[in-house]
Amino acid sequence: MSLGNDLDGRVRAAAMAWLRQRCTPEDPVVPRGELLSFQFEGRPFPLIDNQLGIRKPQGMTAALSILTTYTSDGARAPYEDAVGGDGLLRYKFQGNREHYTNVGLQRAFELRLPLMWFFGIRQGLYLPFFPVWIVAVEVEQSQVAVALDEAQRHLRIDGPVSLIERGYSERITKQRLHQPVFRQRVIQAYETSCAMCHLRHRSLLDAAHIIPDRETHGVPAISNGMALCKIHHAAYDENILGVRPDYVIEVRSDILEERDGPMLRYGLQAMHDLRLTLPRRRMDRPDHNLLEERYERFRAAG
């Protein structure tokens, strides 16, 4: 039963208002069950499809949401081929281009309607991005281009893109999607706990890169990250402490000889010779080759 031509706007407004209230800095991810059990005007109205990646509810003119299923780092490279030459993300059609879900994406583009994008960070757990917009339908490639914010919505994508425009768009994509997804995947893998000191306050935890993401092989994979509290993340980045390939922490020798207050003694020096607390899943643990490369940099800095 259709609820009228204004259903698209009412559902989107209600769903995004709920997400803004539901997703806090301390708890920004949403289980699949909550997305499926969303209520709109007193009745069940799932925000995601139970089987498909695109949600186009009956009675609505256009697609409501898109979903990216979680895949482990070993299954495919994170975000591989997902960013176009203009720095915008692409989302593939669901099967045949005439499928009603794909038509729903095209209608969202034509009507300039906002959508929600639910990005899987582990099995059954999603990080929402909203509002996002379809800014181009690329039929030959069976995909659409997705803007993550107002700035990307106004980028020219029907012609040559300057290096400045592309760099700006890529930076938005990295800051708005890649970095938050990497952060949540790493923190979830380490069960919201610093791998060095076991601090469990999410707001004080970072996803630290082993090889910085500005480098070619500094990929946004869990195996290139560790959950660290802010003090140990900064110390790791500054080569005050390092991690050996056998997961044992080393504190730089000159730091071990210093005399200062309790933060130095208990926060840094006490980490020397301790072993990292590792994720349960072996595939999520730091890559030995990346740790070895980073450890050699730590030794050279000392």
Side-chain angles (χ1 to χ4, degrees), residues 5-210:
N5 293 332
D6 66 340
L7 179 63
D8 284 80
R10 287 163 38 226
V11 170
R12 290 170 211 276
M16 293 184 196
W18 174 73
L19 285 171
R20 289 187 187 96
Q21 185 176 28
R22 167 63 181 80
C23 299
T24 65
E26 281 296 315
D27 187 18
V29 296
V30 186
R32 181 179 183 85
E34 290 189 30
L35 298 175
L36 288 171
S37 61
F38 176 73
Q39 298 273 321
F40 173 69
E41 296 184 353
R43 69 185 183 101
F45 205 101
L47 298 184
I48 58 175
D49 194 281
N50 201 29
Q51 296 180 323
L52 305 175
I54 303 166
R55 170 74 166 140
K56 194 283 179 184
Q58 184 177 5
M60 290 186 66
T61 305
L64 175 64
S65 70
I66 54 179
L67 179 146
T68 297
T69 303
Y70 168 76
T71 53
S72 64
D73 294 339
R76 66 174 173 84
Y79 324 124
E80 185 178 21
D81 300 327
V83 180
D86 47 22
L88 290 169
L89 288 154
R90 263 51 181 187
Y91 190 88
K92 290 293 184 181
F93 283 162
Q94 179 78 47
N96 188 297
R97 67 182 60 173
E98 299 302 323
H99 193 272
Y100 77 94
T101 56
N102 302 325
V103 174
L105 287 182
Q106 296 180 63
R107 290 293 287 153
F109 165 68
E110 294 163 359
L111 298 172
R112 300 182 180 181
L113 292 172
L115 294 89
M116 296 161 285
W117 192 345
F118 299 104
F119 213 102
I121 61 165
R122 66 182 300 177
Q123 200 69 34
L125 201 59
Y126 298 90
L127 184 63
F129 297 90
F130 64 95
V132 301
W133 293 267
I134 308 299
V135 293
V137 178
E138 299 167 339
V139 176
E140 291 186 2
Q141 293 79 28
S142 296
Q143 64 188 18
V144 294
V146 184
L148 295 171
D149 69 1
E150 287 285 352
Q152 283 190 330
R153 287 184 73 187
H154 301 294
L155 287 172
R156 180 183 176 185
I157 58 175
D158 58 353
V161 178
S162 70
L163 291 177
I164 293 177
E165 288 175 317
R166 175 178 177 176
Y168 175 69
S169 183
E170 287 178 342
R171 187 163 61 252
I172 291 174
T173 297
K174 182 177 180 179
Q175 293 174 346
R176 292 293 304 273
L177 187 136
H178 289 178
Q179 289 177 349
V181 168
F182 174 71
R183 168 181 165 79
Q184 295 305 324
R185 284 183 168 176
V186 170
I187 288 178
Q188 288 291 329
Y190 284 80
E191 299 181 14
T192 318
S193 176
C194 175
M196 294 186 181
C197 69
H198 308 152
L199 183 72
R200 298 189 61 85
H201 287 269
R202 182 186 287 268
S203 62
L204 298 178
L205 295 178
D206 292 335
H209 287 83
I210 297 171

Side-chain angles (χ1 to χ4, degrees), residues 240 251 254-271:
I240 289 174
V251 177
D254 62 307
I255 301 296
L256 287 174
E257 295 172 0
E258 284 186 14
R259 295 293 179 266
D260 202 344
M263 176 56 73
L264 176 67
R265 182 178 178 184
Y266 299 108
L268 294 175
Q269 292 172 337
M271 297 298 105

